[in-house]
Amino acid sequence: MSILERVKNLTEKECIVDVLRKELADNKCKNCGKCTFGYEGATQLEMVINDLAEKKARPGDLELLEDLCSVMKDQSMCEDGTDIALAYLEAVERYGKDLKDHAARKSCRAGVCKRFMTYHIIAGDCIGCGDCIDACPEDAILGRKKFVHVINQSECIQCGACKEACDEDAIVLAGAVKPRCPQRPIPCRRN
Ligand code: SF4
Ligand code: SF4
């Protein structure tokens, strides 16, 4: 299936950024180089799509890609380059909001891109043992003995060490839908 067909046949559970990223990872233009727009265009597209998936997008990235692909679809010397450009333009048409949400570093609707997943401590399951604090390499967890612990999302690097350390299975990984958690440590309901 070509990258264009892949974009046209995306399922609900898939993320457009993730699909483009995988498709572009082994695109033929990268290893060809016979035409500038095919080679440079595919390389640039891959870099920006990777940035979208990694929550590193900059203002203007989406506009840049649209301009690039509008030219690339006509100026590439073979079908491979044209296909890549048309696939991105199709993605804008069908999944523009998802692309914008990634670009704004806001969310991954499908809950697929790892950088948009977040760890949370479920208040009713936490016994306030502190094992997660000991495991966290970023000091991103607030709490004390017998208090429900809380993850500071701005410090968390999504390494997952806390989830592994928690014997109570109180820590969950969430995609687009986030669980409701206390903002700061509160006394545990469990002992
Ligand atoms: S989240 Fe788990 S490891 Fe952390 S304090 Fe609560 S029960 Fe202990
Ligand atoms: S995922 Fe890693 S960085 Fe984030 S709170 Fe857990 S241990 Fe700390």
Side-chain angles (χ1 to χ4, degrees):
M1 194 187 284
S2 73
I3 182 170
L4 178 56
E5 285 168 2
R6 191 73 185 82
V7 168
K8 285 182 177 172
N9 290 288
L10 208 74
T11 65
E12 258 302 295
K13 288 184 177 163
E14 289 181 306
C15 163
I16 185 62
V17 173
D18 181 64
V19 166
L20 286 173
R21 183 182 207 186
K22 287 175 182 156
E23 291 289 327
L24 288 165
D26 50 25
N27 78 81
K28 291 181 191 152
C29 296
K30 254 192 337 192
N31 303 316
C32 167
K34 282 189 192 146
C35 70
T36 310
F37 271 100
Y39 177 76
E40 291 290 348
T43 305
Q44 189 78 16
L45 190 60
E46 187 188 6
M47 276 169 50
V48 176
I49 293 294
N50 279 339
D51 283 349
L52 291 181
E54 293 296 326
K55 253 185 169 179
K56 290 180 184 162
R58 286 142 303 192
D61 272 354
L62 294 186
E63 291 75 9
L64 174 87
L65 291 189
E66 221 171 317
D67 289 348
L68 178 72
C69 290
S70 301
V71 185
M72 186 179 165
K73 76 178 166 55
D74 298 320
Q75 299 294 325
S76 298
M77 277 171 58
C78 81
E79 261 181 26
D80 291 323
T82 306
D83 219 37
I84 289 172
L86 289 176
Y88 181 73
L89 295 172
E90 187 74 23
V92 172
E93 192 73 23
R94 292 176 183 238
Y95 304 104
K97 180 166 182 337
D98 288 353
L99 290 169
K100 282 181 187 158
D101 285 346
H102 283 75
R105 304 180 184 193
K106 209 164 108 194
S107 64
C108 169
R109 175 199 51 78
V112 170
C113 294
K114 198 169 176 291
R115 290 289 291 149
F116 288 87
M117 306 289 277
T118 45
Y119 286 90
H120 302 268
I121 297 174
I122 304 300
D125 293 332
C126 176
I127 58 169
C129 67
D131 288 353
C132 54
I133 290 191
D134 295 340
C136 179
E138 300 294 316
D139 291 335
I141 302 179
L142 310 171
R144 57 189 157 105
K145 284 279 171 217
K146 302 213 169 162
F147 273 67
V148 169
H149 287 41
V150 175
I151 295 176
N152 177 353
Q153 298 298 338
S154 58
E155 299 292 332
C156 176
I157 58 166
Q158 289 96 25
C159 72
C162 54
K163 183 167 166 54
E164 275 188 31
C166 179
D167 291 335
E168 303 300 318
D169 289 334
I171 302 182
V172 297
L173 186 59
V177 181
K178 310 292 185 194
R180 290 183 67 177
C181 297
Q183 298 293 306
R184 58 185 66 83
I186 54 170
C188 286
R189 278 178 263 151
R190 285 187 64 196
N191 288 317

